[in-house]
Amino acid sequence: MGDTSENTSKLDSQTASNQAPVSQDDSKPTERMQTLQEHLTQRTDEHNEEQSRQNTQEPSEASAACSSGQPNTKVQKTEPQDRDGASSEQPHKTHLFVEVADHQWPIVYSTEYNIGFLGMEKLHPFDSGKWGKVFQFLREEGMLSEATIVRPLEATEADLLVVHSSSYINSLRWSITVAGITEVPPVALLPNFVVQKKVLKPLRTQTGGTILAAKLAMERGWAINVGGGFHHCSSDRGGGFCAYADITLSIKFLLELGLIKKAMIVDLDAHQGNGHARDFMDMMDKVYIMDVYNRNIYPHDGFAKRGIRRKVELDFFTGDEEYLDKVYNHLKKALEEFEPDIIVYNAGTDCLEGDPLGALSITAEGIKNRDQIVFEFAKKERDKPIPVLMVTSGGYQRNNARIIADSILNLRQKGLIGCQAAEEHQAKRKKKTGSSGSPSSPESATTPSSGASSPTSPTSGEPRRGLLDWFKR
């Protein structure tokens, strides 16, 4: 994700040769945001119960190929989390871990992810409805249905305070603060209750989705939140369209539940992930961050770079060959240096060629190959696969949703993600209704259809079994 305040015309005058990496010591943390105003709007218990009911309204009809989650897990705060000094050592009971049936994919999405109010969302280049489009594309391809998707709940204030300071949460009760974070100035003129409902509630729901998906990844081996990836937000400040630190929260929840001891963040969004880097700066022995980003664009956070263990800085218009080579080699070295219990993969698509903010030149095929590389490293390159949580993060073109959906379909086709119970459930529903659509049997998930072209290497037409095999040659 990124900031639109920079003048993108500088791309024409700035090149790799005259732009040096920002020193880790040449910038300081900015001042924390102002505090005050009304109480954050709370989600009603009735709505929580309705969402949980929808997740379990279809009975399981298949084997436990995909195990189910457990609801209402207590999260014990092992140390005070409120950075303003308030006591926070009591456990808090979260309702985010809704029951998930065997036949549901570990793919999390809600219609409440999408942002729209009087056309104001069009004032930012971000496609605030892309999450719904991703789901629609996957449904059209026969992979997902309303019955097989997992619907998350909105993160409550108690959930958010596991990481965020109360002063930061309070600052979001000022519409002008939210206008700065979302980079949509007219938001400052709206009553805050409207901002809470139309802007922040969707982001809180996506944050709840990331936390839920993290637990699902540990249970199923992988999970995807169709939204999330707010990597510019830290515990006490937001920016770049990121109001809540969902990546930090997901890892904190897993640590406090005792489900993991160590995590790796692989951030491949075009922008530096300064939020989680700040949050885990004092926990680098437990959280390893690999960040591949365009060094010439927002946020230029030199201080946050201290929290990145493997920093890979790119120049304007880096293309597929150099990009994929760096992703492969640095991820290989990162996993040799550090053995995580989970990989949190921030799969931003703003590296796509033509993106007005990312300013890189990665093709749609390059993005699919990039995602495949990450999953292959986690699944195929070790005796014990590493669970992967994928979030979709930034991307500022209208074709981003199609590319995200195509990449997920590619991971399914390659056998890197799957849920046999969901495939069988979907096949039974199609047989009952006689509906047409893309094959969704377990066999079709891993076997190209007749006439389909064979998988090729990222930089040639040469066939290959897996991208890692190609790179090894």
Side-chain angles (χ1 to χ4, degrees):
M1 295 198 164
D3 193 315
T4 59
S5 61
E6 297 194 40
N7 184 358
T8 56
S9 65
K10 72 177 182 178
L11 300 183
D12 298 327
S13 60
Q14 211 168 4
T15 64
S17 59
N18 61 21
Q19 180 78 30
V22 180
S23 167
Q24 293 182 349
D25 299 318
D26 61 6
S27 65
K28 300 178 180 179
T30 58
E31 296 183 1
R32 298 173 66 177
M33 293 186 173
Q34 296 290 89
T35 61
L36 267 46
Q37 232 204 346
E38 311 155 6
H39 198 285
L40 194 64
T41 305
Q42 293 293 318
R43 188 172 186 84
T44 64
D45 290 339
E46 291 80 4
H47 183 74
N48 285 346
E49 292 170 3
E50 172 64 15
Q51 290 290 334
S52 184
R53 183 190 67 77
Q54 290 178 356
N55 272 332
T56 56
Q57 63 186 356
E58 293 280 347
S60 173
E61 299 182 16
S63 66
C66 297
S67 57
S68 61
Q70 299 297 321
N72 301 335
T73 303
K74 287 187 177 181
V75 176
Q76 174 71 47
K77 296 183 182 180
T78 55
E79 57 181 292
Q81 298 296 328
D82 188 336
R83 287 160 173 78
D84 296 320
S87 174
S88 60
E89 296 189 80
Q90 294 299 315
H92 103 268
K93 189 175 183 181
T94 182
H95 293 275
L96 293 176
F97 300 132
V98 297
E99 292 184 13
V100 179
D102 291 347
H103 69 268
Q104 290 177 294
W105 287 90
I107 298 178
V108 182
Y109 168 72
S110 168
T111 55
E112 294 189 14
Y113 280 14
N114 303 295
I115 301 173
F117 182 67
L118 300 176
M120 283 193 178
E121 68 278 3
K122 297 178 182 178
L123 298 177
H124 192 283
F126 190 81
D127 182 1
S128 57
K130 79 170 184 179
W131 308 288
K133 294 173 186 175
V134 172
F135 171 69
Q136 182 62 29
F137 288 137
L138 293 174
R139 183 167 61 179
E140 290 171 358
E141 294 291 337
M143 179 176 177
L144 298 181
S145 69
E146 295 289 347
T148 59
I149 198 77
V150 176
R151 299 177 183 85
L153 302 178
E154 175 187 350
T156 65
E157 183 170 350
D159 295 321
L160 298 172
L161 286 172
V162 169
V163 165
H164 288 292
S165 64
S166 59
S167 63
Y168 175 69
I169 297 299
N170 287 336
S171 75
L172 299 179
R173 295 165 192 159
W174 290 93
S175 296
I176 192 170
T177 300
V178 182
I181 291 171
T182 60
E183 302 156 7
V184 182
V187 168
L189 305 177
L190 298 175
N192 191 254
F193 76 89
V194 174
V195 174
Q196 294 291 332
K197 183 176 181 180
K198 296 295 185 179
V199 180
L200 293 179
K201 182 178 179 181
L203 301 183
R204 287 194 294 268
T205 305
Q206 292 189 44
T207 297
T210 300
I211 296 169
L212 171 60
K215 186 166 180 284
L216 277 174
M218 296 305 299
E219 295 167 349
R220 307 281 190 93
W222 66 276
I224 297 172
N225 183 12
V226 173
F230 305 132
H231 65 157
H232 296 309
C233 186
S234 62
S235 63
D236 57 3
R237 69 176 195 173
F241 211 82
C242 302
Y244 302 107
D246 68 315
I247 292 176
T248 302
L249 279 159
S250 67
I251 293 173
K252 285 280 192 176
F253 268 70
L254 293 181
L255 286 169
E256 293 172 356
L257 285 168
L259 295 177
I260 64 169
K261 293 182 179 179
K262 297 187 294 182
M264 176 180 288
I265 298 172
V266 177
D267 194 338
L268 301 186
D269 186 275
H271 298 83
Q272 175 197 350
N274 58 322
H276 49 66
R278 284 172 171 264
D279 287 334
F280 291 119
M281 197 171 292
D282 296 328
M283 296 177 60
M284 294 176 70
D285 59 326
K286 293 183 178 180
V287 181
Y288 183 112
I289 298 175
M290 169 181 155
D291 200 347
V292 182
Y293 58 91
N294 185 339
R295 67 185 182 184
N296 303 301
I297 60 175
Y298 176 88
H300 302 297
D301 193 338
F303 177 79
K305 290 182 183 181
R306 301 175 187 177
I308 303 172
R309 287 275 294 272
R310 183 162 289 273
K311 181 173 75 242
V312 185
E313 297 188 320
L314 306 174
D315 288 305
F316 284 134
F317 310 123
T318 297
D320 281 11
E321 185 170 1
E322 178 184 351
Y323 179 76
L324 293 173
D325 185 67
K326 287 186 174 180
V327 169
Y328 171 84
N329 286 305
H330 283 279
L331 185 53
K332 183 175 184 292
K333 292 175 182 176
L335 289 169
E336 289 170 353
E337 295 173 359
F338 189 84
E339 296 183 6
D341 299 313
I342 188 172
I343 293 174
V344 180
Y345 174 34
N346 196 44
T349 50
D350 49 2
C351 55
L352 182 68
E353 57 187 349
D355 191 285
L357 303 186
L360 296 176
S361 296
I362 312 306
T363 65
E365 189 67 18
I367 289 175
K368 285 168 58 177
N369 288 331
R370 175 199 71 173
D371 295 350
Q372 186 176 332
I373 287 170
V374 174
F375 275 80
E376 284 191 2
F377 263 118
K379 302 298 181 185
K380 292 186 174 181
E381 288 297 292
R382 53 210 71 254
D383 296 332
K384 182 181 179 181
I386 304 171
V388 180
L389 162 61
M390 174 176 163
V391 290
T392 59
S393 202
Y396 306 91
Q397 299 182 81
R398 296 298 170 181
N399 59 342
N400 285 101
R402 178 74 258 181
I403 293 168
I404 294 168
D406 286 346
S407 183
I408 293 172
L409 291 168
N410 178 63
L411 294 174
R412 175 197 184 207
Q413 185 188 52
K414 300 298 187 297
L416 294 168
I417 63 173
C419 181
Q420 186 172 348
E423 300 278 11
E424 292 175 1
H425 178 86
Q426 189 81 341
K428 287 180 180 179
R429 285 176 62 90
K430 284 186 177 181
K431 187 174 181 180
K432 286 180 182 179
T433 61
S435 61
S436 61
S438 300
S440 60
S441 66
E443 292 80 10
S444 67
T446 57
T447 304
S449 59
S450 177
S453 59
S454 299
T456 57
S457 75
T459 56
S460 75
E462 184 180 344
R464 49 95 172 108
R465 284 185 172 273
L467 284 174
L468 300 193
D469 295 330
W470 185 88
F471 276 100
K472 287 175 183 176
R473 295 210 310 270

